[in-house]
Structure formats: C-alpha cells, structure tokens
Amino acid sequence: MSSLPRFFAAYQDAISDALDAMVPATPGRLVADAMRYTLLAPSKRVRAVVVLLAAELCGRADRAMAAACAVEAIHASSLILDDLPCMDDAPLRRGRPTVHTVHGEAVAILAAFGLLNEAYAHLNRHYDGALCTTLTALYADAVGLDGLIAGQAEDVLATDDLLSFDTLERIHRRKTGVLFGAAATAGALSAGGSPEDIAALTAYAKNLGLAFQVVDDLLDVVGTPEETGKAVRHDARKTTFVSFSGVEGARELAQELCRTATQALKPFGARAARLGALADFVAARRL
Ligand code: GRG
C-alpha cells in the first residue's frame, strides 16, 4: 500500500479545517502568514491522525482534535527549523519553497517559535486541570532534551562523522519516533484510556515513527520531489539508514519495525484495523 489508506482523507480534511481555525488569517501580519504557509501546506497529517485514531480506539474521539492540532503545530515548527540554512538548508518542503527562502530567515525563525507557542496555548485553551497539565508536559518532553531537540542536535553535529547503527537509531527515535509516540499517548489520554491501552498505543507509535524515518531516508534516495514534496539526494553526505543497510536493507528494517508496531496492537484485535493499515502504508510509502 504505497498510497494513504482511503479512510485518511476525511481525517485530513477535518484536521486541516481545525488548523485553519487555530491560526486564523490576519492579512498584513508577516509572521502569522509564514506560520500558515507551513501549517496549512499539503501534508499527510500522519501525527494528527495517530492522535485521533488512538483516541477512537480508547472509546472517545470528541476531545482529541486540539491535541491533534497541537502536535501538527509542533511538527510544522520543527520542519521550519530543520530546513534553515544552518541546519538542513533545504529549498523545498511540502511541494513549496521553504519558508526562509520566501520570507527570510528572521521571519522563518519567528514563525517556528510562533507555531511552538501556539501548540501549548492551544492545549491550554482546550483542556482543563490534570489533563491539560499532562498533555502539556507530554509534548514539552517530546520536543525537549530527550526528544526532537536532542535528536536534531546530535544529527546536525554528527554530519561529518561515521555513526554507529545504535547512534543512528537513537537520533531518529528522538527526532521522529518520540513525537509519534507522544501523539498516540495524547490521543489515548484525551479519551481516558487505561494505562495498558496507553502503553500499547505508545509502543505502536514509537516503532511506527522510527519506521517512518527509515522510509524518509529511503525516499531521499529512491523518491522524487513530485512524490515527497522535498528535494531528494539531500542526505548524500550523511550517515542514514540507507548508507548503513542499503536500499533493500532499509526497506526490510522499515517493514520489521512496522510489524513490531502492529504486534503492539494485538490487545485491541480487529478494532485496531485502521492503525494496522497506517503501518502497512508507512512500510511501503512513496510520499
Ligand atoms: C523546537 C519543535 C522544535 C524542534 C527543534 C529542528 C528540530 C529540533 C527537529 C527536527 C525534527 C524533524 C524535522 C524530523 C524529521 C521528521 C520527518 C520524517 C519529517 C517529514 O514528515 P512528514 O513526511 O511530513 O510527515 P508532512 O509534510 O507530510 O507533514
């Protein structure tokens, strides 16, 4: 399954509408324009869909959309920062020129901070009490010094070194896997899921996230800008899962991680079919 499962479209539409309302258009405000430029650009919305599907599986999806929007805002913030000249220096993202090439670096950095800030503000506006505190801490930890920031720091600083497989895995579990895990945890928490449900969904999503990153490396080699919306052969100087394991090895690793992810869903039985279909998509994705 190299295209998104059919049920995805309705989730993507609902998420895009909610994101549109989260950061409303305010003509003439450059930073808000830059935030919307990235946030509303064509995206798979995988992390937000994971939030919603985890909540559904735990019995109620009606409180999950704000957590889904917040994770998308964090993700969009990280994309802007990742693309900056001092990091990946990427020209293209989501099929469009990157924010800093359109608006300049200063506005891009402010837009990234704006999106991160909005993510936490959004949680605060939509949740109360212990749930609000827990979700805010969950996302802050995912972004923080054991999460995206740690993974990115190690990745950026290691460009010219040969990395061990363990180091590569640690970098990408943090850069990508942790936010997927937090998305599933947030969805389950918003629905009042049991500790067992939360643990199973988090294990699923962390492995799914690492598989997602392995395929990201793969698509840098075998994909096209039309498929991925990004420049390809951009990681040629870096140690990646493909430079380590080859194209076939990386594909097998992604499939193995997706199988491990799906096994974690066993306690849910057939009710987890959509998350299973998402794992099948990730293992074979071309976008
Ligand atoms: C302060 C939020 C924050 C981050 C600082 C810059 C940084 C640390 C981390 C970078 C994390 C990053 C960009 C990891 C790559 C993850 C990845 C595979 C992105 C592509 O995701 P897709 O394919 O993109 O889901 P779409 O466009 O579909 O949403």
Side-chain angles (χ1 to χ4, degrees), residues 25-233:
T26 42
R29 291 176 65 182
L30 207 51
V31 175
D33 284 353
M35 288 162 70
R36 284 173 60 84
Y37 179 84
T38 298
L39 189 66
L40 303 180
S43 152
K44 296 179 284 301
R45 307 277 182 235
V46 172
R47 296 153 191 81
V49 174
V50 167
V51 175
L52 300 179
L53 291 178
E56 273 176 24
L57 210 45
C58 292
R60 60 179 294 187
D62 57 315
R63 288 199 298 179
M65 186 56 93
C69 288
V71 83
E72 279 298 314
I74 290 170
H75 170 54
S77 168
S78 80
L79 296 180
I80 295 175
L81 295 172
D82 192 41
D83 290 338
L84 286 172
C86 61
M87 300 223 193
D88 253 15
D89 195 12
L92 200 66
R93 170 71 72 178
R94 295 181 163 175
R96 302 175 175 181
T98 39
V99 186
H100 66 270
T101 59
V102 176
H103 291 288
E105 279 182 56
V107 171
I109 291 169
L110 292 170
F113 274 108
L115 286 166
L116 191 60
N117 195 49
E118 191 52 41
Y120 295 114
H122 202 65
L123 293 176
N124 235 288
R125 279 195 290 269
H126 288 84
Y127 302 102
D128 293 319
L131 180 59
C132 183
T133 309
T134 308
L135 291 176
T136 306
L138 174 74
Y139 283 168
D141 286 346
V143 171
L145 293 176
D146 282 320
L148 273 75
I149 290 173
Q152 182 75 354
E154 203 169 1
D155 195 16
V156 167
L157 297 174
T159 304
D160 294 325
D161 299 338
L162 267 187
L163 304 181
S164 70
F165 189 85
D166 286 352
T167 303
L168 189 64
E169 180 177 337
R170 181 178 63 242
I171 288 173
H172 292 298
R173 281 203 180 273
R174 287 170 159 177
K175 262 187 77 172
T176 308
V178 166
L179 196 58
F180 274 75
T185 312
L189 284 168
S190 75
S194 69
E196 294 75 21
D197 287 353
I198 292 171
L201 285 162
T202 306
Y204 159 82
K206 281 184 175 174
N207 284 302
L208 186 79
L210 185 58
F212 194 90
Q213 179 62 52
V214 174
V215 180
D216 213 66
D217 286 0
L218 201 53
L219 293 179
D220 185 69
V221 178
V222 303
T224 65
E226 291 72 30
E227 288 168 327
T228 64
K230 297 193 282 191
V232 291
R233 323 295 172 254

